[in-house]
Amino acid sequence: MTVHGVESEPLGTFPKSGIDVLVVGTGLAGLTAAIECIRKGHNVRVLERASSINTLGDMYFMGLPATRFFKHWPEMKEEYDAIGLHNAWIETYKHSGEQMVKPLYVAERLKAAGLDPKTPPGTFQLRPLIYKMFVKQVERLGVKIEFNSRVVDYFEDEASGKGGCVTQDGKRYEADVVIAADGVGSKSQRLVGGQVRARSSGRAMWRAAFPIENLEKDPEVKAHYTMIGPDNSEPIVRTYLGPGTYAMTLTRPETMIWIINHNATGSSAESWSNTIEPQEVLDTMDEGVGPSPWSPMMKRLIACTPEKTIVNFELLWRDPQPSWTSPGSRVIQIGDAAHSFLPASGNGATQAIEDAVSIASCLELAGSKDKVPEAVRSHIRFRFIRNACAQKVGFSNAELLQDTDWNKVKFDPRRAQPKHPKWVWEHDPEVYTYENYAKNVEAMNKGVRFDESDVPPNFPPGYKYEPWTIDWVMDCMKEGKPIDLGPGNWD
């Protein structure tokens, strides 16, 4: 039997489904949903609240599952291979500046941490370059993004089998299914009933990306944060770990990036436009990091950062949302609208793209407008436990990175390496959906829980889902106890 998704199935492979899809939001989840829904034969419209697509930002981790659909889009794969950090190096320091793990190719570092160097779980990517790549693909497909369309409400009409939304100017949009990919705070929460309260973690991230030419201000900083390898031509990630903090820098030919996790300050806010000046960072960065101050070279790097470049992004924690869809399953949340991730998880972008690939495939398998609710509910069963487990891993990684014991790292390098479990990076959301859709629908119609069905798990084998809360996570951290991930194989 042919399993869709294994081999390249370019645009035109699938017949027209007749399903009208309205995508709200142009983050990675929304753009991927538009791209894959078109390939699957659905009709697509896209709304975006901003006046243009935001291609600013620094870096994030792109896991392998988020890139597997590129095999259907040769132009995307070619561009991804060209811009990616596939020959990157990595080295690790104490936050105070002492080198602890010498520079190694990422593959060599993975081998030292007990992972397969031939199949790295993903790569660090520059957000602006990745976004531009996705935007170009949407434009190639002729999708007209309706900008300045801020959605203020969502609705559905089960009798007519339609979902919809209303924009700030009173305009109404309808479709067979509405994909709410408009991030944390989506107005779809009211209809979906999945709103969860944000809790302050007490932490925030200083994040900055700027042209490499700014390092000319300090030749010693330029020399220290140089690239590496043959002719100093290969990018390098430098990680810094210490008590109550961690940081990363990325040096590329054209861009310098640095990120520091720190105690939240009065100027921290959950907004990518919340910028502060370098002096504020320099004045407060030594607070809460133990007896040793930050590396002088890191401080000099911060001093080289241009004004209005540093984002002070507050890290808010949220319980897993209990619901991602409207009562009639005509409005479905994906990406951050359904499940937000901590930066330390290395999983937010990956899971958002997985969501988009999954819902596009479920809709194609359902095959008709009247079966959209079946597709949506099946998709949520595929995705809910997997995301809840990935979120847990994110908290475990944050715990690891924010409280590094260097005496233990000396004997076990894996302690300086965030978890990238096999059950996360070996997954192919498209192939998985096509192999298991029928089984999943059958179990769903019988009222069998997903983790008790005969569908192979896409979460840690042996795990049975139990609801958990941020209060429980915070209590574990306050008591100094490791976060208990639960039964099953989490490696």
Side-chain angles (χ1 to χ4, degrees):
M1 183 182 79
T2 300
V3 177
H4 288 296
V6 175
E7 304 295 335
S8 176
E9 295 175 305
L11 188 66
T13 300
F14 295 90
K16 296 292 184 184
S17 69
I19 297 173
D20 294 327
V21 178
L22 178 64
V23 178
V24 180
T26 59
L28 283 181
L31 292 173
T32 306
I35 290 166
E36 281 295 281
C37 280
I38 288 173
R39 188 173 68 86
K40 299 292 186 180
H42 315 318
N43 307 314
V44 176
R45 297 178 74 180
V46 180
L47 304 181
E48 168 54 43
R49 63 183 163 217
S51 58
S52 62
I53 290 178
N54 178 10
T55 57
L56 299 175
D58 43 67
M59 66 176 173
Y60 45 52
F61 188 79
M62 288 275 285
L64 277 183
T67 65
R68 290 194 165 103
F69 82 101
F70 292 162
K71 62 178 168 279
H72 307 303
W73 302 101
E75 58 274 52
M76 291 186 77
K77 186 178 187 309
E78 182 180 357
E79 186 168 356
Y80 183 79
D81 289 344
I83 66 178
L85 302 180
H86 309 294
N87 59 340
W89 295 66
I90 186 169
E91 69 175 323
T92 298
Y93 294 84
K94 287 184 178 180
H95 80 286
S96 54
E98 180 184 350
Q99 186 191 64
M100 299 301 290
V101 183
K102 69 179 183 179
L104 295 168
Y105 276 115
V106 170
E108 294 173 336
R109 180 71 173 265
L110 292 172
K111 185 177 181 180
L115 297 172
D116 182 0
K118 295 179 182 177
T119 313
T123 57
F124 287 103
Q125 297 293 347
L126 213 59
R127 183 186 185 276
L129 298 181
I130 294 296
Y131 259 75
K132 287 173 184 175
M133 182 186 85
F134 276 74
V135 170
K136 279 192 280 187
Q137 184 60 44
V138 168
E139 290 173 345
R140 278 192 289 260
L141 293 171
V143 177
K144 181 179 180 294
I145 299 173
E146 298 184 41
F147 292 105
N148 297 307
S149 298
R150 181 169 57 86
V151 172
V152 296
D153 198 15
Y154 286 80
F155 63 87
E156 73 176 350
D157 184 338
E158 293 187 56
S160 65
K162 298 290 183 183
C165 64
V166 181
T167 54
Q168 81 281 5
D169 55 2
K171 190 172 181 180
R172 290 171 63 89
Y173 295 82
E174 285 190 353
D176 299 310
V177 61
V178 179
I179 298 177
D182 44 353
V184 172
S186 169
K187 297 299 182 183
S188 61
Q189 299 288 12
R190 182 163 45 191
L191 179 63
V192 166
Q195 182 67 56
V196 291
R197 183 167 60 95
R199 296 281 301 277
S200 173
S201 67
R203 308 294 299 177
M205 301 287 279
W206 290 312
R207 311 179 68 111
F210 51 90
I212 198 78
E213 291 79 15
N214 284 274
L215 300 191
E216 301 288 348
K217 301 172 187 175
D218 189 330
E220 290 185 8
V221 169
K222 179 183 176 182
H224 180 80
Y225 288 103
T226 186
M227 293 198 296
I228 201 167
D231 300 320
N232 286 349
S233 62
E234 295 177 335
I236 180 167
V237 174
R238 295 175 170 94
T239 61
Y240 298 78
L241 305 177
T245 189
Y246 63 90
M248 298 175 65
T249 68
L250 169 61
T251 309
R252 285 179 57 103
E254 75 291 343
T255 307
M256 185 71 219
I257 294 172
W258 60 264
I259 299 171
I260 300 177
N261 181 285
H262 64 98
N263 288 328
T265 63
S267 64
S268 303
E270 192 181 41
S271 169
W272 293 108
S273 60
N274 179 45
T275 59
I276 61 171
E277 298 308 323
Q279 192 59 48
E280 181 176 334
V281 178
L282 294 170
D283 288 344
T284 59
M285 65 187 296
D286 286 334
E287 296 175 5
V289 298
S292 300
W294 264 99
S295 155
M297 196 58 71
M298 175 65 87
K299 291 180 178 179
R300 289 166 67 176
L301 172 64
I302 292 165
C304 290
T305 305
E307 295 182 352
K308 303 187 185 308
T309 300
I310 304 169
V311 175
N312 189 8
F313 193 91
E314 185 175 10
L315 303 180
L316 301 183
W317 290 352
R318 294 171 174 85
D319 294 336
Q321 285 185 193
S323 173
W324 298 356
T325 188
S326 56
S329 299
R330 294 287 176 172
V331 176
I332 168 70
Q333 298 172 330
I334 67 172
D336 281 350
H339 45 74
S340 60
F341 278 84
L342 290 176
S345 69
N347 233 326
T350 301
Q351 296 305 320
I353 291 173
E354 283 190 29
D355 282 355
V357 171
S358 172
I359 187 60
S361 300
C362 285
L363 290 169
E364 193 277 326
L365 284 160
S368 61
K369 297 171 181 279
D370 61 310
K371 287 193 173 181
V372 165
E374 172 192 286
V376 167
R377 291 166 187 154
S378 181
H379 158 81
I380 291 172
R381 283 169 62 90
F382 282 141
R383 302 297 304 154
F384 183 83
I385 297 177
R386 177 171 174 80
N387 269 285
C389 289
Q391 286 173 307
K392 255 190 182 182
V393 170
F395 288 113
S396 180
N397 279 343
E399 179 186 44
L400 169 77
L401 294 173
Q402 286 172 203
D403 193 18
T404 302
D405 184 335
W406 282 110
N407 291 322
K408 294 179 180 178
V409 171
K410 185 182 295 184
F411 297 103
D412 184 359
R414 288 174 292 183
R415 291 180 177 271
Q417 184 83 25
K419 292 183 179 70
H420 293 293
K422 273 191 174 183
W423 60 267
V424 172
W425 61 262
E426 285 188 337
H427 187 59
D428 185 322
E430 183 182 17
V431 171
Y432 182 82
T433 298
Y434 278 95
E435 287 180 339
N436 296 295
Y437 185 84
K439 281 183 184 178
N440 191 25
V441 171
E442 181 182 2
M444 178 173 68
N445 291 338
K446 290 179 179 178
V448 178
R449 276 176 44 145
F450 184 67
D451 56 357
E452 295 177 351
S453 71
D454 60 355
V455 177
N458 57 1
F459 48 86
Y463 177 71
K464 297 295 182 186
Y465 175 72
E466 293 183 5
W468 55 272
T469 67
I470 292 302
D471 286 337
W472 167 74
V473 171
M474 295 180 80
D475 286 344
C476 288
M477 290 184 170
K478 286 176 184 175
E479 295 169 14
K481 297 190 304 186
I483 294 171
D484 182 8
L485 296 174
N489 181 5
W490 289 76
D491 293 333

